[in-house]
Every structure is written in structure tokens, then in C-alpha cells.
């Protein structure tokens, strides 16, 4: 690449000059390429350890004039080919021009200006993303691609200097983290160390606090330890992000897409790529959204330190102010002290207050509900106020009219089109049949439909709602006082007092309101009016798999509660679940959603319950309710890890019984609602909406701790589950005045004496006392580690399911099928992110059966065929692979799944001679005739005069649908053109076989025999009025008479000439890579066999050491035409092949798939070695 001219004082230090002219010198760095001795080894080691090769490429071009001792570096290159192109350009375009100048200074000025102009032109044509990266970083990216043999599509995110521990010896080198790979390279005293792993195959990645601090990366077969990082936390966080992106791609097919809307930095960062900035921004956004329970489309604009005046405490609280596109948020340094969320839609005034020594740089923010918030100690107050003003001008209330309930939705959809930050909420709305811009054509939700306009508990509450117990009244009074002091609604101050009130239980009258507030669902509902009504109408009348599952579970949702013993409750539940299935088809419906939603409907309206369900499924319980309940399995693993840390003795015993994995799944999926009395479990839901998932872990640990002594005495799984079930069934809420709702787990109670009751408030208090130190950050860290294990475990399950499904239809062993599946999946994954012809979404659909999830296209199939196939035909291999791909692609979608792939390989490796020849035969037939059976002879005809019973037609229909094994008689006939292609394929297949001479003679003999058979069949067909009798067509080759009249030269007509031409062309084909002297054959022979004329194809005239390659000259070949009436059958081909022992031995020989798979696994290493070969080898490969 051309570089900005830089002055070089010592031109020959650590460099070797290879070319020179009066104005330029081409140099190679010592230690690169062959030779160099001890000096080269030391320089190469220094380049790797000190990363000088990232700044100084192995080749460079210097500019020098006259006797000057000052040189100017103008170009560098990572390979000889690249630097040679620059050198040739200089010689062709500048040498003659520079010879005209008389002054050396003018020459130098001209060269520097010319190179700067070239660089400026190149920068204009480069992508914007590349322009953001520094020159040093781009050089490091090029170095990574060269070292590890990766294409330009592979983007480097960052690289770090570190040590790799191999045994007890560290190897200093560089760790490269790209979007799809983690790579390490070291070079010490001539010894090279290379590690390359793909993120989807990482099982564990952990950071240890040992000395030295290290990062452990584990795959299925190896473990790697890296240490001596300058910032190990930054490195590990980036590893977490990249591994999570890879897992997300495996889980739900979400590939990585760079965020093009990030603001450009004011200056180019030295060692930070645009992708690294993107990932850092994503991480900050995720933490911000999780902290304040905001929607997925919310993007943090910035944050700053400040203080907040709290009127309830009469003091300033130190914390951070966060500003995003729709919210202003504050969090105290101590998170429990104060938290505040101010939606911009609620803001009425933002102004700068008067500064003083007590209150420096204050900003006052007033809301529509007459609340005022005072922030102070702001570093850049003017900029902050300007940013808030800009966001306020873009808020929906200031741009859109509220006249139509769907106005917000329509505008948000149009605004989000084409932007990377598209709101999933808006884009997921199904399109109406009318025009989106015409409100009159939109469908409206029918208000006459029965709907739950308030919580079902209020509608079906028995007794006087005013007849509350004293404790319930005290709770309501406490919340009223809290609202008066701290505010009410979305702008309420959230403090430790708020948490205390939540832990004591939320009054039933306030439960729906506060659930919406604490979960963040209130914000989504307020910003999307009419969205739920539109979804309900669009979902009405649909019949999908999700709706069928919903209908099946409707009457199983809290059947003991009277609110769901009538049509109104069931209909409300149906509408909420079907609306969410319509909104999020990726999840659709999952069991346990009905239980949670039914509880939400007891305290909320339908629309409120819908938005709470959205918050649960998409933010608070991520991936819990997809088809494989991955989120619940991840949290189950987290719970096991917490049990091992907090209750080690109990953990070991429970693991022996296998109880933890059995009990915890239902606890997490239903938030204890299915295993605990309703009045008690709903208090846990209160805590969950305020605290998040940590409270569920705390309570689960407290339950195990309370039963530890009893559980340690259990001897089997059933006994332990009975103990825990009985305990949970007797967790009661002693403060409730409503009649107890019977619980299904009451059946577990046995014995004459009832078990003691456990107060749910005591259980919650105990969980906070014993396990309250658990933090959300710790949970997320453990979730990351468990997510890797769970995804890989699910992938193993998929592999085993696929292998079991096809093992009966394949002759490969289980171990071979599993290895083939890994190779097939790796090719699929690689094709998804390295520029495949079809998108990843088309290739991988997690909702499909395991057998259909991974598919490859023609390009990847050809690569695997070349690596694993036994029928390799040199340059003809790609053509044969394409024919096999079209044969296996039964549904003609351009993709082949694993079963189809194994079917093709199995025929090549384990089929007998008949099966292999049949496969080859079918490969050379037109796509519409490959094994298609004609059923015209089996179609039944119904006579008008005879009326058959319906059972007769059912039997005939069943007979038609009954699969029938394909026989050789079902294969269609092959014409002369197809036969010529078959001969050409066979000829190429034998080119690398040790017995190629015998095989060449045998195929020439068979070709001659089959040509005569075809001629005889044609004559018989012509003699019968153009019809070919079955007897003649299917007669064995040995019984067919020879033609009565032959060509004077011994041939059999133009058909033989065409076959001769095809064989000659096939024989004379040589791969273009064979250019070295060792691969050139002797001049006295062509490919080590004799040349004979085309005058004879008769088998008795062919000598033992000859084979036909010519057909009497080019003019005769061009004059030959195909015989349209000539054809043969597969039986004739098979019978002819059986006459040659060499062909029989070749096709009966079994292939070694293990050796092929081992070679395929080493292919990446070979590519890397080629990419870093010596300059001489690279020059040869490039020619």
C-alpha cells in the first residue's frame, strides 16, 4: 500500500535491498522469507514481540536522490506480489519523468506530491468504515488475514499483546479478536505458534484472578490460557461480546451488523477500530437499558457526573445523569439510595438555573405533572441543555397529532425504515390491508368485543371490596404517603423506602399500576397507543401452530380461580396470548406463558397485561419462552453454580440425586406461580418486577437452605421433590383476607399431622438476609458462562438427533456421522459470514426440525465434495459436484441439508458396484429424468359402467402413495451426448489411480462395446416402425449381435468419433497449477500411455499398454454429429462394466472416510501455511 512519505535515516538497518534504480530501492526485512541466519531469527522474534511488523510491513520501497543520505519511505507491502506491483508502477510511470529534472530537491518534492495524490484518491474510494480506522490498525488487520489465511470479509475488532501458556512456558505474541474468530500468533527464534478458533465453537471463556491474571478459552477438545494483558478486563469484556454474538447467531439466527449511525469521533483513534467503538456503544446501551428497564431501541447519548436535589431527604445526592433519545435518567452512586426516570414526553421546561457556590451549574427540569428536578455540578451544562433540547424537538408529542390512535405507530414505522436503530416494536407490527398513510382505510379494533377493561380480580372479587383487613389498609396508607413524598407515576423517586414497601407487599388495588411502572411496560404502552388493539384484530381468525397450542392450554391456566371459570376470563387470556404470538412469531407461544399471563390479567387490563408480557418475554426474562427455553436453562445453570458456592454440601448431594435441574426449571419459568399458593407467589412477583431475576434466585436458595437437613437425608429424587413440593405448598400469606385458592400441590400433603406453615414474608426476609449480596452484574457474568454451555449442549443434542435420524439409512458409523456433521456445520457457519450466495436466514431456521436447520449451497457443497469425495476428476471435479448437488437438491431450493449430503457420500463410499454405477448414471441424466418413475402404467382407470366401493379407491390411493424402492429398470435411457459425458467423467476419475493404465484400457473397451450396443438397439428400433421393443432394449450386452456392416476403419460411425474426441479432450486436460519441472511428463509419451489412432475402437485391437486419445484430426471431429436415435439402458452399462475386472475392482473398493475427514480438518492449517510461505513459493502460486 502507498503510505505518506516518511523520512528514514538508516536505510539498511534490519533491511536487505533486493532491487534498486537511480531513484528507488525495494527492500525486504530481515527475518522474513528464507535465509537470514541468526540475525533473521532475532529480527523476526523482535517484530512479533514488539509488534513492529504492524507498523513496518515486511517489504518497503524507499525514495533516494543522488548521494543524499536521507531516504523517504513511500510504499510498503505484506507480500512480494503487492510490493512488486508498486515497483513496476513506479518504473513505468515515474522513472522517465524524474530523469528530466535537474534538481534533486525538485525530484523529491515531485515524488512526495505524487504519492500523496495517489493516497488521497484511494481514500476517496474507500468505504466510510475503513476511513475511520487508523492506518496502523488497517495494517494489523491485513497482517491477521495473511497470517491466518482469512478473506477480506473477516473484520478485525481489536488485537492485544499477551502470553500464551503452553505447559509451563509462556510464548509472547499477539491475540487477534475478529467478528468470527479468536486467533493467536507468536514467532520466537524460528518457532511459530498459531491458534485459530471460531467463536461458535467456544464452550467456556473465563477470567481468573490468579497471579498472573489470565483468560481461559476452552473448546470441546482443548484449553488455552492467555495472560500478561495490559487490560485484562477490557479484553475479556470484548471476548464476552463476540462470543455472545456468535451464540445469538446459533440461537435465533441474528447475525452481526455494524451500526453505521454511530457518531464519528472528533479525531481518529490510534488503536481503536470502528467495530470496537460499535461494540463498546452496544455494551453501554445494554447496561443502560437493563439498569432503567428501557426498551430495546433506546440508545444512550451520553452520561455525566452530577448531583440531584432530593426534596424528601433535603440533601444533594451524588450520582450520574444519563441522556438518551427518549429519556433522562439518574442513578445515585449507591444504587439503593435513589433512582429516577424522566421520559422526555413528560418534560415541559428545561432551563439553566442561577449558579452559586452552594449550587454550581444547576439545570432545572419541570414535568407536566408539576414536578421539578434540580441537577447541579454539571461539567458542561450548556452542551447538556442543548442536547436535551434537540431530543425534545424530536419527541412524538411535539411532532405528531394525537387525533388517531395509530398515528404514533405509523410515524414510527416510516421513521425507522432504513435506519440501523429500527425499533423492533414498530417493525414487528403486521401490515394492514389498507394504506398505511390513509387512516380511513385502516382496520379498527371492534370496541363491542367483550374485553377486560379492568383487572379480573375486581370483576370477580367475592365480598365487599372495601372490606379490607387492617394490614391491607395500612399498606394502602403507606403507599399514599410514599406517593405524596416521592411522587407518583413514571417520574417517581425510587429509593430504599420504595423497596421496603415492595417487600412488604403491594396492595391489590395498586398492583397493576406498580407492576407497569417498575417493569418499564408503562413507557411502552404510553408511546404506542392502539398497538394492542391493532394486533388483536389482525390475530383474530388466524389459525397457526401457536394459536392451536394456546387453545389447548387456555383451560389449564389457573383453573382453580373463578376468574378463569367463565368465558370472559378465557377470552381475555386468548386475546393477549394470540396478540403476542402475532407480534413476536419467533417466540409465538410457549408453555408457562399462559400461567404468567393469567396472573397479570387478574390485576391489569388486557392492554396492560399485554405490555407486561412483552416486558417479561423480551427484557426481564430473555430467551425464556422460545422454542428451546434457552433462557430458563441458562438460569438453571446459574442456580446450580450459586448452589455450589452458597450451599456446597447440599449441592454435592443434590447433584447425585439429579434434583436441581428437575425442580428449578418450573420455578423460573412460572416465577413460583405453579408451585406455590397464589396469594404467596404473587408477592414474589411483586419483588420480581422491582428487583428483577435476582429475587427469584434468592428465594430459590432460601428454600433449599430451609430444607437442607431434610434433603441431605434423602436417598432418591422422588423423596427430595416431595419434600420441596410439600414445603412450597405450605408457604402462606397470613396477611390476606381473601379466601384461600386451592392449589394443585396440596395433593402432595400426606400424613395425619399437617406440615407447619411458612410465612412468605419470613421467607422473603430470610432470602435477603442470607443471600442479599447477590448482584445483577454477577448474575449476568454467570449467565454468559452458562449460555455458552447451554448453546453447545443444545447443539450436541441436535447433532445426536440428526445422527439417530439418518443412521439407519446410512452405512457410516455413528462416530463418522458425528464428525461429518461437525464439518458440515462448520462449512455452513463459515458460509454465513464469508459472503455466501444466500443469506444466513435462508440457511438456518432454528424453528425447523434439527435435520433441516443447517444447509449449504452449491459453492460450499463443491468444497466439501472436493475434500471428502472419492470421485475426484481434476478440473472436472467441480462439474461432477454440481451434478451431484442438483441430484440431491430434491426440493430445488438451491440448498442441501445434512441428510441429503450424507446420502450422496454414502453412495460413493459404501455402495456396491451397482449402486455406485447407478449414481454415476443418474448424474449424467437431465434433471427431469433422474430416477423419475413413470406411473402411467399403474394409474387405475374407473369404468363408468362399474361403480367401485370407496374402500377400493382408498386401497388404490394407498398403493399409489406407498413408497417403492427404485430398481435399475426405473432408470431412463441415456442418449449419445450423455454417454459421452459419462465416459469423460470416468476417464478423469482414473487419472490419479495407481492402476490408471488398466482402467483406461477397460473404459475404452467398454465404451466401444456400448457404442455397438446402442447401434444395434437403434437398428432394431428402426426396423419396428421407430418403436424400441423392451426386449431388445433390455437384452444383456453379451446376447446382442454385432453389427453387420462396420466402418472401413473399424469404427462404428460418428458416435465413436465423438467418444474419441471426448476422451482425447479429457486426457489432454491438465490442471493449470502443474507448472514445475517435476510435474511435466516425458516428451515421448502423453500422461505415461501410448497414443494410437482413432481408427480403431474395437476391444480386441487395443494393446495392453495403449489407450485411445485421437479421432482422426480436428476436421473429422468437427464434422461428427450426435445420433439422436442412439440410446442405451443402465442394464447394458452395468453388464458391460462387469466384463472388465479392473473396473469391477475399482468400484467395489471401499473408501476411507476417516482419512478424508482428517485431511479436511487440516485444510485451514494448510491455508495458513500457504499464506505465510516463502516469497518464492508465493510468487509461484500467483503465476
Amino acid at each position: 500500500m502507498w503510505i505518506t512519505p516518511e523520512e528514514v535515516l538508516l536505510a539498511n538497518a534490519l533491511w536487505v535491498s533486493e532491487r534498486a534504480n537511480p531513484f528507488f530501492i525495494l527492500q525486504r526485512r530481515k527475518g522474513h522469507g528464507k535465509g537470514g541466519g541468526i540475525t533473521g531469527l532475532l529480527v523476526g522474534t523482535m517484530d512479533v514481540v514488539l509488534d513492529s511488523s504492524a507498523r513496518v510491513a515486511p517489504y518497503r520501497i524507499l525514495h533516494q536522490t543522488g548521494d543524499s543520505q536521507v531516504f523517504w519511505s513511500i510504499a510498503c507491502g505484506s507480500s512480494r506480489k503487492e510490493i512488486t506491483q508498486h515497483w513496476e508502477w513506479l518504473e513505468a510511470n515515474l522513472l522517465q519523468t524524474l530523469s528530466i529534472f535537474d534538481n534533486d530537491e525538485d525530484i523529491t518534492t515531485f515524488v512526495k506530491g505524487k504519492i500523496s495524490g495517489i493516497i488521497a484518491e484511494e481514500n476517496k474510494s474507500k468505504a466510510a468504515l475503513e476511513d475511520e480506522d487508523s492506518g496502523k490498525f488497517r495494517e494489523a488487520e491485513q497482517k491477521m488475514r495473511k497470517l491466518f489465511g482469512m478473506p477480506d470479509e473477516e473484520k478485525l475488532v481489536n488485537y492485544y499483546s499477551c502470553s500464551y501458556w503452553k505447559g509451563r512456558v509462556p510464548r509472547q505474541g499477539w491475540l487477534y479478536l475478529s467478528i468470527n474468530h479468536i486467533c493467536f500468533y507468536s514467532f520466537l527464534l524460528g518457532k511459530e505458534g498459531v491458534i485459530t478458533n471460531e467463536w461458535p465453537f467456544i464452550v467456556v471463556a473465563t477470567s481468573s484472578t490468579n497471579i498472573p491474571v489470565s483468560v481461559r478459552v476452552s473448546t470441546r477438545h482443548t484449553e488455552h490460557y492467555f495472560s500478561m494483558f495490559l487490560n485484562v478486563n477490557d479484553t475479556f469484556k470484548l471476548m464476552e461480546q463476540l462470543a455472545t454474538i456468535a451464540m445469538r447467531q446459533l440461537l435465533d439466527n441474528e447475525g452481526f451488523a455494524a451500526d453505521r449511525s454511530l457518531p464519528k469521533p472528533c479525531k481518529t483513534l490510534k488503536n481503536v477500530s470502528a467495530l470496537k467503538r460499535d461494540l463498546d456503544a452496544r455494551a453501554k446501551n445494554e447496561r443502560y437499558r437493563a439498569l432503567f428497564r428501557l426498551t430495546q431501541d433506546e440508545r444512550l447519548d451520553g452520561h455525566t457526573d452530577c448531583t440531584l436535589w432530593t426534596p424528601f431527604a433535603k440533601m444533594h445526592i451524588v450520582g450520574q445523569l444519563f441522556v438518551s433519545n427518549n429519556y433522562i435518567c439518574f442513578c445515585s452512586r449507591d444504587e439503593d439510595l435513589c433512582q429516577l426516570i424522566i421520559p422526555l414526553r413528560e418534560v415541559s421546561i428545561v432551563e439553566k438555573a442561577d449558579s452559586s457556590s452552594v449550587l454550581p451549574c444547576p439545570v432545572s427540569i419541570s414535568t407536566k405533572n408539576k414536578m421539578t428536578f434540580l441537577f447541579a455540578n454539571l461539567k458542561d451544562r450548556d452542551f447538556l441543555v442543548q442536547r436535551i433540547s434537540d431530543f425534545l424537538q424530536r419527541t412524538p408529542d411535539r411532532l405528531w397529532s394525537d387525533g388517531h390512535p395509530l398515528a404514533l405507530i405509523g410515524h414510527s414505522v416510516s421513521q425507522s425504515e432504513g435506519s440501523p436503530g429500527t425499533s423492533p416494536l414498530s417493525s414487528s407490527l403486521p401490515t394492514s390491508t389498507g394504506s398505511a398513510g390513509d387512516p380511513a382505510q385502516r382496520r379498527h379494533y371492534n370496541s363491542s368485543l367483550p374485553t377486560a377493561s379492568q383487572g379480573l380480580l375486581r370483576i370477580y372479587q367475592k365480598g365487599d371490596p372495601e372490606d379490607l383487613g387492617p394490614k391491607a389498609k395500612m399498606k394502602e396508607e403507606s403507599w399514599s404517603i410514599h406517593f405524596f413524598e416521592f411522587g407518583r407515576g413514571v417520574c417517581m423517586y425510587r429509593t430504599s423506602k420504595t423497596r421496603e414497601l415492595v417487600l412488604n407487599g403491594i396492595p391489590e388495588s395498586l398492583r397493576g399500576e406498580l407492576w407497569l411502572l417498575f417493569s418499564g411496560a408503562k413507557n411502552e404502552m404510553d408511546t404506542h397507543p392502539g398497538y394492542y388493539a391493532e394486533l388483536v384484530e389482525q390475530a383474530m381468525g388466524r389459525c397457526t401452530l401457536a394459536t392451536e397450542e394456546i387453545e389447548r392450554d387456555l383451560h389449564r391456566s389457573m383453573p382453580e380461580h373463578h376468574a378463569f371459570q367463565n368465558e370472559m376470563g378465557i377470552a381475555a387470556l386468548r386475546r393477549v396470548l394470540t396478540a403476542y404470538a402475532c407480534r413476536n412469531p419467533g417466540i409465538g407461544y410457549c408453555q408457562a406463558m399462559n400461567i404468567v399471563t393469567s396472573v397479570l390479567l387478574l390485576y391489569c387490563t388486557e392492554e396492560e397485561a399485554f405490555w407486561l408480557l412483552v416486558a417479561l418475554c423480551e427484557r426481564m426474562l430473555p430467551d425464556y419462552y422460545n422454542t428451546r427455553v434457552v433462557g430458563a436453562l441458562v438460569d438453571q445453570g446459574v442456580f446450580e453454580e450459586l448452589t455450589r458456592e452458597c450451599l456446597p454440601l447440599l449441592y454435592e448431594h443434590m447433584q447425585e440425586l439429579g434434583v436441581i435441574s428437575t425442580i428449578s426449571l418450573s420455578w423460573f419459568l412460572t416465577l413460583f406461580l405453579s408451585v406455590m399458593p397464589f396469594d404467596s407467589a404473587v408477592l414474589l412477583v411483586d419483588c420480581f418486577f422491582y428487583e428483577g431475576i435476582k429475587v427469584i434466585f434468592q428465594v430459590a436458595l432460601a428454600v433449599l437452605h430451609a430444607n437442607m437437613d431434610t434433603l441431605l437425608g434423602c436417598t432418591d429424587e422422588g423423596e427430595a421433590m416431595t419434600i420441596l413440593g410439600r414445603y412450597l405448598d405450605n408457604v402462606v400469606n397470613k396477611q390476606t383476607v381473601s379466601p384461600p385458592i386451592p392449589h394443585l400441590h396440596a395433593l402432595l400433603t400426606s400424613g395425619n399431622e399437617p406440615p407447619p406453615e411458612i410465612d412468605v414474608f419470613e421467607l422473603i426476609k430470610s432470602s435477603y438476609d442470607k443471600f442479599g449480596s447477590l448482584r445483577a452484574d454477577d448474575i449476568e457474568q454467570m449467565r454468559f458462562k452458562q449460555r455458552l454451555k447451554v448453546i453447545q449442549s443444545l447443539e450436541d443434542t441436535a447433532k445426536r438427533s440428526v445422527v439417530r435420524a439418518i443412521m439407519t439409512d446410512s452405512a457410516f458409523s455413528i462416530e463418522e456421522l458425528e464428525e461429518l456433521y461437525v464439518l458440515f456445520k462448520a462449512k455452513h457457519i463459515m458460509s454465513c459470514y464469508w459472503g455466501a450466495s444466500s443469506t444466513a436466514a435462508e440457511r438456518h431456521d432454528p424453528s425447523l426440525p434439527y435435520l433441516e436447520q443447517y444447509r449449504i449451497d452449491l459453492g460450499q457443497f463443491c468444497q466439501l465434495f472436493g475434500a471428502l469425495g472419492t470421485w475426484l476428476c481434476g478440473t472436472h471435479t467441480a462439474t461432477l459436484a454440481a451434478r451431484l448437488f442438483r441430484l440431491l437438491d430434491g426440493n430445488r431450493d438451491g440448498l442441501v441439508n445434512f441428510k441429503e449430503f450424507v446420502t450422496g457420500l454414502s453412495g460413493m463410499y459404501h455402495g456396491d458396484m451397482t449402486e455406485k454405477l447407478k449414481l454415476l448414471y443418474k448424474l449424467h441424466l437431465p434433471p427431469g429424468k433422474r430416477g423419475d418413475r413413470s406411473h402411467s402404467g399403474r394409474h387405475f382407470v374407473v369404468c363408468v359402467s362399474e361403480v367401485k366401493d370407496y374402500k377400493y379407491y382408498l386401497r388404490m390411493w394407498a398403493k399409489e402413495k406407498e413408497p417403492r424402492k427404485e430398481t435399475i429398470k426405473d432408470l431412463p435411457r441415456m442418449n449419445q451426448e450423455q454417454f459421452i459425458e459419462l465416459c469423460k467423467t470416468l476417464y478423469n476419475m482414473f487419472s490419479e489411480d495407481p492402476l490408471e493404465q488398466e482402467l483406461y484400457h477397460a473404459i475404452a473397451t467398454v465404451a466401444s462395446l456400448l457404442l455397438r450396443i446402442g447401434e444395434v438397439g437403434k437398428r432394431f428400433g428402426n426396423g419396428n416402425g421407430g418403436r424400441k421393443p423392451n426386449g431388445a432394449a433390455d437384452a444383456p450386452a453379451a446376447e446382442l449381435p454385432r453389427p453387420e456392416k462396420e466402418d472401413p476403419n473399424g469404427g462404428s460411425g460418428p458416435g465413436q468419433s465423438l467418444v474419441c474426441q471426448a476422451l482425447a479432450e479429457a486426457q489432454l486436460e491438465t490442471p493449470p497449477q502443474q507448472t514445475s519441472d517435476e510435474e511435466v511428463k516425458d516428451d515421448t509419451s502423453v500422461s505415461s500411455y501410448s497414443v494410437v489412432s482413432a481408427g480403431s475402437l474395437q476391444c480386441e485391437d487395443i494393446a495392453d499398454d495403449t489407450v485411445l486419445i485421437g479421432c482422426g484430426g480436428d476436421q473429422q471431429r468437427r464434422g461428427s454429429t450426435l445420433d439422436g436415435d442412439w440410446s442405451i439402458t443402465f442394464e447394458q452399462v452395468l453388464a458391460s462394466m462387469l466384463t472388465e475386472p479392473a473396473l469391477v475392482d475399482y468400484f467395489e473398493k471401499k473408501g476411507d472416510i476417516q482419512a478424508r475427514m482428517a485431511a479436511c480438518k487440516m485444510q485451514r492449517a494448510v491455508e495458513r501455511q500457504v499464506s505465510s510461505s516463502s516469497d518464492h513459493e508465493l510468487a509461484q502460486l500467483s503465476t
Side-chain angles (χ1 to χ4, degrees), residues 293 620 687-697:
R293 306 276 175 80
M620 301 190 72
C687 301
F688 167 75
F689 277 121
Y690 187 80
E691 293 276 25
I693 192 64
K694 61 168 286 188
V695 72
I696 303 299
F697 286 119

Side-chain angles (χ1 to χ4, degrees), residues 362-381:
V363 171
S364 175
I365 299 177
S366 301
T367 63
K368 296 176 182 177
N369 60 354
K370 309 304 180 184
M371 293 184 69
T372 301
F373 305 94
L374 188 62
F375 300 93
N377 291 282
L378 295 164
K379 293 182 180 178
D380 196 345
R381 181 176 62 166

Side-chain angles (χ1 to χ4, degrees), residues 519-731:
S519 66
K522 176 69 173 173
N523 291 318
E524 282 188 284
M525 188 175 69
D526 289 347
T527 54
H528 295 83
Y531 178 78
Y532 171 70
E534 178 75 6
L535 280 181
V536 169
E537 185 168 353
Q538 296 207 14
M540 288 177 62
R542 286 190 178 183
C543 183
T544 63
L545 179 61
T547 57
E548 292 178 2
E549 294 176 347
I550 290 171
E551 290 297 327
R552 186 169 57 248
D553 287 347
L554 282 177
H555 294 279
R556 305 175 187 173
S557 309
M558 295 187 69
E560 67 276 7
H561 200 288
H562 50 272
F564 296 98
Q565 295 171 359
N566 58 81
E567 184 55 33
M568 176 175 282
I570 295 297
L573 181 59
R574 177 187 293 113
R575 285 191 292 272
V576 173
L577 292 175
T578 53
Y580 186 78
C582 183
R583 164 194 166 84
N584 193 342
I587 293 179
Y589 171 77
C590 175
Q591 286 187 344
M593 287 174 66
N594 59 321
I595 297 176
V596 176
T597 307
S598 61
V599 174
L600 300 179
L601 282 169
L602 291 176
Y603 300 99
C604 307
T605 65
E606 281 187 34
E607 185 175 11
E608 291 171 347
F610 169 79
W611 287 113
L612 280 170
L613 184 62
V614 169
L616 278 173
C617 296
E618 299 175 11
R619 296 197 304 276
M620 301 190 72
L621 298 175
D623 301 325
Y624 258 59
Y625 300 107
N626 56 24
T627 54
R628 295 187 281 184
V629 293
V630 173
L633 294 175
V634 169
D635 281 351
Q636 179 179 291
V638 173
F639 180 57
E640 292 185 11
E641 187 174 349
L642 290 172
T643 306
R644 184 176 64 249
E645 294 178 2
C646 302
L647 307 170
L649 292 178
L650 182 61
Y651 170 78
E652 293 179 3
H653 185 67
M654 297 284 278
Q655 284 295 98
E656 294 175 1
L657 301 179
V659 177
I660 295 181
S661 59
T662 305
I663 60 175
S664 57
L665 195 60
S666 61
W667 293 2
F668 293 124
L669 278 173
T670 64
L671 304 176
F672 284 96
L673 288 167
S674 64
V675 296
M676 194 179 287
F678 172 75
D679 290 328
S680 303
V682 76
L683 294 174
L684 299 183
V685 178
D686 292 342
C687 301
F688 167 75
F689 277 121
Y690 187 80
E691 293 276 25
I693 192 64
K694 61 168 286 188
V695 72
I696 303 299
F697 286 119
Q698 290 177 186
V699 172
L701 290 171
V703 170
L704 292 182
H705 184 269
N707 294 273
M708 182 164 59
D709 295 337
T710 313
L711 290 173
L712 287 173
C714 293
T715 57
D716 58 61
E717 179 184 0
E719 184 182 358
M721 293 185 64
T722 302
I723 291 172
L724 291 172
R726 185 182 297 115
Y727 177 87
L728 291 172
D729 186 60
N730 287 276
V731 176

Side-chain angles (χ1 to χ4, degrees), residues 44-45 61 273 457 501 692 747 975 1099 1175:
T45 302
I61 296 177
S273 66
L457 200 61
L501 290 176
L747 297 175
N975 63 29
C1099 56
D1175 306 324

Side-chain angles (χ1 to χ4, degrees), residues 70 256 342 369 449 789 797 811:
V70 178
F256 175 78
I342 309 173
N369 60 354
L449 291 173
K789 294 180 180 179
T797 302

Side-chain angles (χ1 to χ4, degrees), residues 285-286 288-290 292-300 324-327 345 423-425 519-525 527-528 583 611 614-615 618-619:
N285 287 332
E286 289 173 1
Y288 170 65
R289 291 192 293 259
F292 299 103
R293 306 276 175 80
L294 303 178
T295 57
Q296 296 298 321
D297 59 334
E298 198 63 26
R299 301 175 61 181
L300 180 64
S324 60
N325 47 337
N326 293 301
Y327 296 92
R345 65 179 184 275
S423 168
L425 194 65
S519 66
K522 176 69 173 173
N523 291 318
E524 282 188 284
M525 188 175 69
T527 54
H528 295 83
R583 164 194 166 84
W611 287 113
V614 169
E618 299 175 11
R619 296 197 304 276

